[in-house]
Amino acid sequence: PPPPSLGPLMPRLALLLPLLAVAATAEDVLLSQLGAVPGVDSLAVAKANAFILRAGLVSTAGDGDVLVVDGDFYIQNVSVTYTNNVQMRVEGSLIANNNISAWPIGRADSDSKAAPVLYFYRCQGVSIFGPGTIDGQGYDWWWNALLSFLPKFEDNRPMLLMAFGSTDITLGGGLLLRNSPFWTCNLERGARVHIEDVEIFVDVFKQQEMMQELGL
């Protein structure tokens, strides 16, 4: 016998098929597979890893894909602008390179003139999940700030995570934000922020020891 007619269902199938195609192609994209090099603490590698991380966040945005930080990667500053539906899951760690003299300058009107470690400018839909760590390696920056505490001192330590004019930001999944050089998380002029199951760790005892050593 002839197959039953699908005529009444065709409009619904036409709407469903693109959704199925998106679901089928959505996947985890590993940072290491994009060419980032884990475990190497050098300025050259940190710059290259930062470039690859930014490219990975932009290229996976909007497709339902998730960029997965699948190791311990040293990075310099990463800036993502005018990008929607950015998703990142940190399973290992992102570690800010602590070459202070080589760290780039960011916004001149910001409380810190140094470029943030992670910066999202006018993005919509930014999701960053753990259970891994974003580590600012603040210890060296704190020492530099204390030793440079002069009348003309400018505080050029970078913030760990900053977003400006961005909306629908989600942080969670056991994410650890560790030892930011300056402020840990600064969200300016945004809307609809959800933060749950995030740990912020600052080694205040080490800071106190440093200040006592300097008689402050």
Side-chain angles (χ1 to χ4, degrees), residues 54-73:
R54 181 192 178 280
L57 290 171
V58 172
S59 65
T60 57
D63 293 333
D65 293 343
V66 180
L67 183 65
V68 179
V69 178
D70 57 324
D72 300 323
F73 297 90

Side-chain angles (χ1 to χ4, degrees), residues 1 33 39 49 79 82 104 116 124 138 147 161 171 175-177 204-205:
Q33 291 180 337
N49 284 347
S79 179
Y82 296 103
Q124 181 178 359
L147 294 174
L161 173 62
L171 306 176
L175 180 67
L176 172 60
L177 304 176
V204 294
F205 296 108

Side-chain angles (χ1 to χ4, degrees), residues 17 59 77 81 111-112 136-137 147 150 159 163 167 177:
L17 287 175
S59 65
N77 63 301
T81 62
D111 292 275
S112 170
Q137 291 209 99
L147 294 174
L150 302 172
M159 301 181 191
T167 61
L177 304 176

